[in-house]
Short mmCIF file of all heavy atoms in Angstrom, two decimals:
data_model
loop_
_atom_site.label_atom_id
_atom_site.label_comp_id
_atom_site.label_asym_id
_atom_site.label_seq_id
_atom_site.Cartn_x
_atom_site.Cartn_y
_atom_site.Cartn_z
N SER A 111 79.92 61.10 4.72
CA SER A 111 81.27 61.06 5.31
C SER A 111 81.43 61.98 6.52
O SER A 111 82.05 61.63 7.49
CB SER A 111 82.31 61.44 4.25
OG SER A 111 82.38 60.46 3.22
N GLU A 112 80.90 63.14 6.39
CA GLU A 112 80.97 64.12 7.50
C GLU A 112 80.23 63.63 8.73
O GLU A 112 80.72 63.73 9.86
CB GLU A 112 80.44 65.44 7.09
CG GLU A 112 81.36 66.28 6.18
CD GLU A 112 82.45 66.92 6.95
OE1 GLU A 112 83.50 66.23 7.30
OE2 GLU A 112 82.35 68.16 7.30
N ALA A 113 79.03 63.07 8.52
CA ALA A 113 78.24 62.49 9.66
C ALA A 113 79.00 61.33 10.30
O ALA A 113 79.09 61.25 11.52
CB ALA A 113 76.89 62.07 9.20
N TYR A 114 79.59 60.50 9.44
CA TYR A 114 80.38 59.40 9.95
C TYR A 114 81.52 59.86 10.83
O TYR A 114 81.72 59.42 11.94
CB TYR A 114 80.90 58.58 8.74
CG TYR A 114 81.54 57.29 9.17
CD1 TYR A 114 80.81 56.08 9.09
CD2 TYR A 114 82.86 57.23 9.66
CE1 TYR A 114 81.39 54.83 9.44
CE2 TYR A 114 83.41 56.02 10.03
CZ TYR A 114 82.70 54.84 9.94
OH TYR A 114 83.32 53.66 10.32
N ARG A 115 82.26 60.92 10.29
CA ARG A 115 83.43 61.43 11.07
C ARG A 115 82.93 62.07 12.38
O ARG A 115 83.58 61.94 13.41
CB ARG A 115 84.17 62.47 10.23
CG ARG A 115 85.18 61.87 9.30
CD ARG A 115 86.07 62.91 8.68
NE ARG A 115 85.38 63.80 7.77
CZ ARG A 115 85.20 63.56 6.48
NH1 ARG A 115 85.67 62.46 5.95
NH2 ARG A 115 84.56 64.41 5.72
N CYS A 116 81.84 62.77 12.33
CA CYS A 116 81.33 63.43 13.54
C CYS A 116 81.17 62.40 14.69
O CYS A 116 81.59 62.62 15.81
CB CYS A 116 79.97 64.13 13.32
SG CYS A 116 80.13 65.67 12.45
N VAL A 117 80.51 61.32 14.34
CA VAL A 117 80.26 60.26 15.38
C VAL A 117 81.58 59.51 15.70
O VAL A 117 81.84 59.27 16.92
CB VAL A 117 79.18 59.28 14.86
CG1 VAL A 117 79.03 58.11 15.80
CG2 VAL A 117 77.88 60.03 14.73
N ALA A 118 82.36 59.16 14.73
CA ALA A 118 83.59 58.40 14.99
C ALA A 118 84.60 59.19 15.81
O ALA A 118 85.33 58.64 16.63
CB ALA A 118 84.23 58.01 13.63
N GLU A 119 84.60 60.53 15.69
CA GLU A 119 85.52 61.40 16.40
C GLU A 119 84.89 61.98 17.66
O GLU A 119 85.48 62.88 18.29
CB GLU A 119 86.01 62.47 15.47
CG GLU A 119 86.85 61.97 14.33
CD GLU A 119 87.15 62.99 13.23
OE1 GLU A 119 86.81 64.22 13.45
OE2 GLU A 119 87.76 62.60 12.24
N GLY A 120 83.67 61.53 18.04
CA GLY A 120 83.07 62.07 19.24
C GLY A 120 82.56 63.47 19.17
O GLY A 120 82.41 64.14 20.21
N ALA A 121 82.27 63.95 17.97
CA ALA A 121 81.74 65.31 17.78
C ALA A 121 80.35 65.27 17.38
O ALA A 121 79.88 65.96 16.45
CB ALA A 121 82.64 66.01 16.74
N GLU A 122 79.52 64.40 18.07
CA GLU A 122 78.13 64.25 17.75
C GLU A 122 77.32 65.57 17.83
O GLU A 122 76.28 65.69 17.19
CB GLU A 122 77.50 63.17 18.64
CG GLU A 122 78.09 61.85 18.33
CD GLU A 122 77.77 60.79 19.44
OE1 GLU A 122 76.99 61.12 20.39
OE2 GLU A 122 78.24 59.63 19.31
N ASP A 123 77.81 66.52 18.64
CA ASP A 123 77.10 67.80 18.80
C ASP A 123 77.10 68.57 17.55
O ASP A 123 76.39 69.54 17.34
CB ASP A 123 77.74 68.57 19.92
CG ASP A 123 79.24 68.89 19.67
OD1 ASP A 123 79.96 68.01 19.20
OD2 ASP A 123 79.66 69.97 19.98
N GLN A 124 77.95 68.21 16.52
CA GLN A 124 77.95 68.86 15.20
C GLN A 124 76.90 68.33 14.20
O GLN A 124 76.68 68.93 13.17
CB GLN A 124 79.37 68.72 14.57
CG GLN A 124 80.45 69.47 15.40
CD GLN A 124 81.80 69.25 14.78
OE1 GLN A 124 81.98 68.70 13.70
NE2 GLN A 124 82.84 69.61 15.55
N LEU A 125 76.29 67.20 14.60
CA LEU A 125 75.30 66.59 13.69
C LEU A 125 74.08 67.50 13.37
O LEU A 125 73.68 67.52 12.25
CB LEU A 125 74.80 65.25 14.26
CG LEU A 125 75.76 64.08 14.09
CD1 LEU A 125 75.22 62.86 14.81
CD2 LEU A 125 76.03 63.80 12.60
N PRO A 126 73.53 68.18 14.38
CA PRO A 126 72.38 69.07 14.04
C PRO A 126 72.69 70.10 12.96
O PRO A 126 71.92 70.31 12.02
CB PRO A 126 72.04 69.70 15.37
CG PRO A 126 72.46 68.74 16.38
CD PRO A 126 73.75 68.17 15.83
N GLU A 127 73.83 70.73 13.03
CA GLU A 127 74.24 71.71 12.04
C GLU A 127 74.48 71.08 10.66
O GLU A 127 74.05 71.60 9.66
CB GLU A 127 75.48 72.45 12.45
CG GLU A 127 75.91 73.60 11.54
CD GLU A 127 77.13 74.33 12.08
OE1 GLU A 127 77.41 74.32 13.24
OE2 GLU A 127 77.78 74.97 11.24
N LEU A 128 75.09 69.90 10.64
CA LEU A 128 75.29 69.18 9.44
C LEU A 128 73.96 68.77 8.80
O LEU A 128 73.74 68.91 7.59
CB LEU A 128 76.19 67.95 9.65
CG LEU A 128 76.50 67.11 8.43
CD1 LEU A 128 77.38 67.89 7.44
CD2 LEU A 128 77.23 65.84 8.86
N ALA A 129 73.03 68.25 9.63
CA ALA A 129 71.76 67.78 9.14
C ALA A 129 70.93 69.01 8.56
O ALA A 129 70.32 68.87 7.51
CB ALA A 129 70.96 67.08 10.23
N GLU A 130 71.02 70.16 9.24
CA GLU A 130 70.35 71.32 8.76
C GLU A 130 70.90 71.80 7.44
O GLU A 130 70.15 72.13 6.53
CB GLU A 130 70.46 72.45 9.83
CG GLU A 130 69.63 73.62 9.56
CD GLU A 130 69.70 74.61 10.67
OE1 GLU A 130 70.73 74.74 11.43
OE2 GLU A 130 68.68 75.34 10.89
N LEU A 131 72.23 71.73 7.30
CA LEU A 131 72.85 72.15 6.00
C LEU A 131 72.41 71.14 4.91
O LEU A 131 72.06 71.58 3.81
CB LEU A 131 74.37 72.11 6.13
CG LEU A 131 75.16 72.41 4.85
CD1 LEU A 131 74.86 73.81 4.36
CD2 LEU A 131 76.64 72.26 5.15
N ALA A 132 72.38 69.85 5.19
CA ALA A 132 72.00 68.84 4.22
C ALA A 132 70.58 69.04 3.81
O ALA A 132 70.23 68.99 2.61
CB ALA A 132 72.26 67.44 4.79
N ALA A 133 69.72 69.32 4.81
CA ALA A 133 68.31 69.56 4.44
C ALA A 133 68.12 70.81 3.60
O ALA A 133 67.29 70.79 2.68
CB ALA A 133 67.43 69.70 5.71
N ALA A 134 68.88 71.85 3.83
CA ALA A 134 68.80 73.10 3.13
C ALA A 134 69.37 72.96 1.72
O ALA A 134 69.11 73.78 0.84
CB ALA A 134 69.51 74.18 3.86
N SER A 135 70.13 71.91 1.46
CA SER A 135 70.82 71.76 0.13
C SER A 135 69.85 71.24 -0.90
O SER A 135 70.22 71.12 -2.10
CB SER A 135 71.98 70.87 0.28
OG SER A 135 71.64 69.52 0.37
N ARG A 136 68.63 70.82 -0.55
CA ARG A 136 67.68 70.30 -1.48
C ARG A 136 67.22 71.48 -2.40
O ARG A 136 66.72 72.43 -1.94
CB ARG A 136 66.47 69.70 -0.78
CG ARG A 136 66.82 68.58 0.24
CD ARG A 136 67.67 67.52 -0.37
NE ARG A 136 68.02 66.51 0.58
CZ ARG A 136 69.26 66.06 0.75
NH1 ARG A 136 70.24 66.59 0.05
NH2 ARG A 136 69.54 65.11 1.59
N GLY A 137 67.47 71.27 -3.73
CA GLY A 137 67.24 72.36 -4.65
C GLY A 137 65.77 72.61 -5.08
O GLY A 137 65.52 73.69 -5.59
#
């Protein structure tokens, strides 16, 4: 949902931080 919103709202520059957080969430 967050990635979808980033792109839909033109905030694609936030994707790297989101992807890094998602990758780090792997337990």
Side-chain angles (χ1 to χ4, degrees):
S111 292
E112 283 282 81
Y114 188 99
R115 275 191 293 274
C116 284
V117 173
E119 296 171 3
E122 295 168 2
D123 60 322
Q124 294 175 11
L125 284 174
E127 186 177 338
L128 181 64
E130 190 174 29
L131 177 63
S135 75
R136 304 305 178 231

